[in-house]
Amino acid sequence: RTNIFNGSIAPITKFAIRGAIWYQGECEGNSATGGWGYRDTLDVLLRNWRSAFPSGDFPFIAVQIHNWGAQDATKHWDELRDSQSTVLLTNNAALVVGVDVGDPLNLHPANKVPLGQRAALAARALAYGETNLIHQGPVLASQQVAGTNVTLTFTSVGTGLVVRGTGGTLKGFQIAGGNSNYVNAIA
């Protein structure tokens, strides 16, 4: 990784930048630490880049890894997406949601237009200060557990959340206990 930084990033650090869009992480989902290890990797990358460039606290936009592979073999991908979401804990950063636009049969999906459009919205908000747009997908704000039910509250929902193309049934929700074993949830 040091070679990549020294060969690709270090030579341009003398220039001011307006921001960065980061679309990477596939190999991290299959690493020895699973997807959880990517939390530290992404945090270190962001801190190092911000200290290396004269722009300092520039906008950083991470693109989430999409859905790929058999549904029952995606534990590390879920962990990786959760790790990618920690970028939201960083000042002047956004996460482009990609789980809904991928191709479960292709690691490199052909349809990247929605990801580009979402990244552009985030850049318009963070780098150019546009305040009249929704630039971030829904973000989990809180959860309340009551028996076997969990109520989730989200921020950044625009005019509200909508279920599309599923006949009114929410799909893609999973839950994990203390053992980190994810199972599909009825939502």
Side-chain angles (χ1 to χ4, degrees):
R1 294 183 182 164
T2 302
N3 290 341
I4 294 171
F5 178 84
N6 289 338
S8 300
I9 303 301
I12 63 171
T13 58
K14 62 183 169 227
F15 300 107
I17 62 171
R18 189 70 146 185
I21 298 174
W22 181 253
Y23 186 17
Q24 189 278 338
E26 295 90 345
C27 65
E28 303 296 333
N30 294 320
S31 69
T33 59
W36 295 128
Y38 196 62
R39 291 172 187 254
D40 295 333
T41 301
L42 190 58
D43 178 60
V44 167
L45 176 124
L46 178 53
R47 284 188 291 114
N48 286 345
W49 280 19
R50 284 183 170 169
S51 66
F53 282 91
S55 307
D57 188 25
F58 60 81
F60 185 85
I61 301 163
V63 179
Q64 180 186 62
I65 297 303
H66 69 89
N67 55 329
W68 179 69
Q71 192 66 14
D72 60 349
T74 59
K75 177 182 176 195
H76 295 308
W77 290 98
D78 296 335
E79 293 170 356
L80 178 61
R81 281 190 289 273
D82 189 58
S83 291
Q84 289 174 315
S85 72
T86 62
V87 76
L88 295 171
L89 302 174
T90 306
N91 185 44
N92 207 16
L95 177 69
V96 172
V97 175
V99 71
D100 64 321
V101 296
D103 179 347
L105 303 177
N106 188 346
L107 180 59
H108 300 284
N111 185 17
K112 292 186 176 68
V113 171
L115 298 176
Q117 291 169 331
R118 292 170 186 179
L121 283 172
R124 286 172 54 194
L126 296 179
Y128 299 102
E130 291 186 40
T131 58
N132 60 342
L133 49 84
I134 302 295
H135 73 278
Q136 179 67 60
V139 176
L140 181 64
S142 66
Q143 64 181 10
Q144 292 280 332
V145 178
T148 59
N149 294 319
V150 179
T151 302
L152 306 176
T153 304
F154 295 89
T155 61
S156 191
V157 296
T159 59
L161 298 176
V162 177
V163 178
R164 293 187 182 136
T166 63
T169 302
L170 294 173
K171 296 185 185 297
F173 279 82
Q174 295 184 325
I175 191 167
N179 59 5
S180 295
N181 287 330
Y182 284 85
V183 296
N184 290 331
I186 299 169

